[in-house]
Amino acid sequence: MHPTTEFDLAMAEIRSGQPERAVQRLKAQPDDRRCAARLREMLVGERRLAEAAEVARSLASGDDAEALVSAALLRHLAQDPAGAAELCQRTLQQHPDHAAALNHLGRALHNLGRTEKALAAFERAVAVAPDFAEAWHNLAHVLRARGQLHRARQAFETALEHAPGFLSARLQLGVTLYAMDQPQPALDCFESVLARTPDEVEAHVGAGLALHLLGRMKEARAHYERALQLAPEHQAAHYYLGCLLNAIGDSAAAIASLQRALQLQPDDVEAWAELAGVYEQDSRIDDAAQVVERGLALAPAHPALNLEAAKLERRRGDARAAAERLRRIDPRRLPSRTAQQYWFELGQALDRCEDIAGAMRAFETGNALAARSLRRQAINPKAFDQKLDQLFDWLGRDAPGSRPQPADPTDDSGADLCFLVGMPRSGTTLLDTMLSAHPQVVSIEEQATLEHVIWQLTHTSAGYPGAIEGLGADDVAALRRLYRSACARHLGTRSAPLVLDKLPLRCLHVGLIRRLFPQARILFALRHPGDVVLSSFMQQYAPNEAFIHFDTLQDSTRMYCRVLAFWERAAAQLDLNLHYLRYEDLIAEPARTLADVCRFLGIEPDPAMLDDAARKATRERVRTNSYQQVAEALYTRANGRWQRYRPYLEPHIDALRPLAERLGYSFD
């Protein structure tokens, strides 16, 4: 048996996931050229290039193969990949199976754009030295660049089998898994890297991306911001942070981040497209058009930029031009999320063009893609119905605990509150913007307020809504404070005598509202059931437990019927301070309809509510899918849209008809 050498011990440490111990052991043997060569490869693999260059200079003074390979590395570091390739080839003429020479030849060839030959060099290197982790790592890079993600993943995993502590391989495996739409395994990789090196910028950026895709926005933002603390000029971190800020509706911050990304890299067409999207969602149409023009000058065929251009054409009234532009995009080549946007936008354009069959095909395709999305996989498809079943059961027991009790505190009974509820797509956003223009009204649009109370009750032994029955006076007071605290966070410095708290499906929680705030007003928005079902199906919603049930007309119908059935029973059983408002009336006779609403709210009508500019100025950004509609002057084109789609709705009309008739609507 051969005695164990320092080289052998270092290799054992590499295999056991202790790379830094191996590095220190190899550094302690400066005169052992075998140890120095292995150290050189480890340092290059982890991008510790200054240290690698120092080792290479010590090796380059010799006259063996390692001297030529080290000289090649120094050429490469001096931005001379051609010279590096020539030195590696000289080495291989004398030593055809020299794995390090093959590895560095592959690196040089890849940088020269000779991808096929680089791939062959790396494949030869790992064939000669199957445990050469750095060569597997480099092979994986080339495979990923060629779009061969599955093979790249396997190569990175092989590198980690031989060197579990190889941080660059772990980081790049995470990047590859993210590209394969596997955000949770990718996140595991990034977090593993950060556990070892908490200030690894690229791992923070990668973790942010994975968390963003998983819908964990607060955590994602923290990682992006940490990356920028460590590297303030990191262009990609500014861009990704801008994307996240756009997704959560913080337009001003999103614009600032994206503009900074473009200052750092003016030819980043993805950033131009994202910035255009922010402006479009803010209905800053002229700004969006200027950004699109800048972006298209750089990349005329860029799909996301053309998608934004099509939105602007449709919103300016040229739906035919929008549809034609979209038809020039091949949706099969789009990332999943962009493809969803494409089909929903095409559906909207074709709807405006009166191409009903084409619009339906587009919406069906968009909804099918949405149903397969990653975020949908994390949502329990039965959760909404299970919660609704519990509410039905509670209501069937006469909603115990929903009536105010004599011992309940009287200092905050909600006289200043109005809850705007109903089914989505029933005109709640339009009404909200109108009322928000009133000087005596301040609005909280679709933010978590009452939901904090529901969450707390859900996590009691009785659960929700069962816990309502056992509420005592102190509990009511505490829950009121919890609700008011949530409102204060969203209102900031804004104040008015009347707080309008709008979230359509909060209609399911009127029993809790009745108990906590018996003097609160309830505004319920109605719209023709056919239009509600159809419009819900035509939207690209952010997925949640409720909105995943709008993928098909059948599911939209079932959802509508269940929610309205609950509402009818709740409104009949509970003594609600309630006013109904019809979307059709709001569009046809806005002054009279708003006067009725104001009378119910105890305020005088104000002309600002009917002023387009005044109501648009009530907020920076509308947070719902109705942002485009409420930015326009009042229009009637959406009234009765269901009739144009009647052949598609026909199988569901019998289910909707009884509800429609009770609400005063007809399918005749």
Side-chain angles (χ1 to χ4, degrees), residues 356 359-361 363-364 367-368 423 529-539 548-561 641-642 644-653 655-656:
I356 304 305
M360 278 300 297
R361 286 193 297 271
F363 291 128
E364 287 169 351
N367 275 303
M423 275 295 289
D531 279 331
V532 174
V533 167
L534 179 65
S535 187
S536 297
F537 166 74
M538 293 167 68
Q539 303 305 309
I548 64 173
H549 297 289
F550 292 133
D551 287 342
T552 65
L553 288 175
Q554 180 177 353
D555 281 350
S556 295
T557 299
R558 189 186 68 83
M559 171 80 161
Y560 180 89
C561 290
R641 175 189 277 155
W642 69 269
R644 293 188 282 130
Y645 289 83
R646 183 165 190 137
Y648 300 96
L649 277 169
E650 197 67 52
H652 315 293
I653 287 178
L656 292 168

Side-chain angles (χ1 to χ4, degrees), residues 366-419:
N367 275 303
L369 284 173
R372 299 194 297 269
S373 70
L374 287 167
R375 290 190 191 176
R376 289 288 292 273
Q377 295 173 18
I379 298 174
N380 178 2
K382 298 179 180 179
F384 183 80
D385 280 308
Q386 289 169 348
K387 292 175 181 178
L388 194 49
D389 288 342
Q390 293 169 349
L391 287 164
F392 266 115
D393 177 70
W394 176 72
L395 202 58
R397 293 185 288 111
D398 199 29
S402 62
R403 282 83 176 175
Q405 300 298 305
D408 287 350
T410 58
D411 58 329
D412 181 8
S413 56
D416 63 329
L417 296 175
C418 175
F419 292 90

Side-chain angles (χ1 to χ4, degrees), residues 121-405:
F122 290 132
E123 288 175 335
R124 178 65 181 152
V126 298
V128 169
D131 63 347
F132 193 171
E134 290 79 15
W136 281 108
H137 171 274
N138 294 335
L139 171 61
H141 267 290
V142 177
L143 290 168
R144 190 174 68 199
R146 289 165 58 88
Q148 299 180 42
L149 297 180
H150 288 282
R151 288 189 63 198
R153 173 182 181 173
Q154 292 170 352
F156 281 126
E157 289 173 341
T158 302
L160 289 165
E161 287 173 12
H162 296 297
F166 191 173
L167 287 178
S168 182
R170 187 76 61 188
L171 175 66
Q172 295 304 325
L173 175 59
V175 172
T176 306
L177 290 166
Y178 177 82
M180 297 172 72
D181 284 339
Q182 296 185 39
Q184 186 56 58
L187 180 61
D188 294 341
C189 289
F190 299 130
E191 289 181 336
S192 176
V193 172
L194 290 168
R196 289 263 308 277
T197 55
D199 291 344
E200 172 54 57
V201 172
E202 297 305 329
H204 279 293
V205 173
L209 284 167
L211 288 162
H212 189 165
L213 195 56
L214 290 166
R216 294 160 60 180
M217 301 301 201
K218 186 175 181 180
E219 296 168 82
R221 180 174 185 171
H223 278 287
Y224 292 143
E225 290 175 343
R226 179 57 181 154
L228 289 168
Q229 286 176 354
L230 295 166
E233 302 296 287
H234 197 294
Q235 192 271 346
H238 283 289
Y239 166 65
Y240 293 132
L241 177 59
C243 293
L244 181 145
L245 293 166
N246 184 27
I248 64 175
D250 190 344
S251 297
I255 290 168
S257 289
L258 293 167
Q259 288 178 336
R260 182 62 184 136
L262 287 165
Q263 288 171 357
L264 293 167
Q265 188 175 326
D267 62 349
D268 184 350
V269 290
E270 300 292 341
W272 285 114
E274 188 72 19
L275 182 58
V278 180
Y279 284 134
E280 187 272 332
Q281 289 181 71
D282 278 357
S283 293
R284 294 170 59 176
I285 302 302
D286 291 339
D287 289 330
Q290 291 177 12
V291 170
V292 166
E293 184 179 358
R294 290 281 301 273
L296 289 176
L298 294 168
H302 191 271
L305 283 166
N306 277 283
L307 179 56
E308 294 299 331
K311 288 181 189 177
L312 299 177
E313 287 168 335
R314 173 177 58 80
R315 294 190 65 176
R316 285 173 163 169
D318 196 348
R320 195 162 302 281
E324 290 173 357
R325 181 185 294 273
L326 292 168
R327 293 291 197 195
R328 294 194 291 270
I329 299 173
D330 182 356
R332 297 170 298 180
R333 302 182 65 180
L334 299 177
S336 175
R337 180 68 178 170
T338 307
Q340 291 177 46
Q341 294 176 22
Y342 168 87
W343 287 109
F344 280 101
E345 182 57 36
L346 179 61
Q348 297 290 347
L350 294 175
D351 172 71
R352 295 280 188 95
C353 294
E354 301 288 333
D355 182 354
I356 304 305
M360 278 300 297
R361 286 193 297 271
F363 291 128
E364 287 169 351
T365 304
N367 275 303
L369 284 173
R372 299 194 297 269
S373 70
L374 287 167
R375 290 190 191 176
R376 289 288 292 273
Q377 295 173 18
I379 298 174
N380 178 2
K382 298 179 180 179
F384 183 80
D385 280 308
Q386 289 169 348
K387 292 175 181 178
L388 194 49
D389 288 342
Q390 293 169 349
L391 287 164
F392 266 115
D393 177 70
W394 176 72
L395 202 58
R397 293 185 288 111
D398 199 29
S402 62
R403 282 83 176 175
Q405 300 298 305

Side-chain angles (χ1 to χ4, degrees), residues 384 391 417-424 428 444-454 464 483 486-487 490 499-514 522-524 546-547 563 566-567 570 576:
F384 183 80
L391 287 164
L417 296 175
C418 175
F419 292 90
L420 175 52
V421 299
M423 275 295 289
T428 55
I444 303 172
E445 185 199 18
E446 304 209 2
Q447 299 280 9
T449 54
L450 191 70
E451 289 62 41
H452 293 286
V453 175
I454 294 169
Y464 178 79
Y483 171 82
C487 288
H490 298 305
V499 176
L500 182 67
D501 195 353
K502 173 232 175 185
L503 189 66
L505 287 175
R506 206 176 274 147
C507 61
L508 300 174
H509 306 295
V510 288
L512 176 61
I513 293 171
R514 174 73 177 129
I522 308 291
L523 265 175
F524 193 97
F547 289 170
V563 171
F566 176 87
W567 171 258
L576 301 175

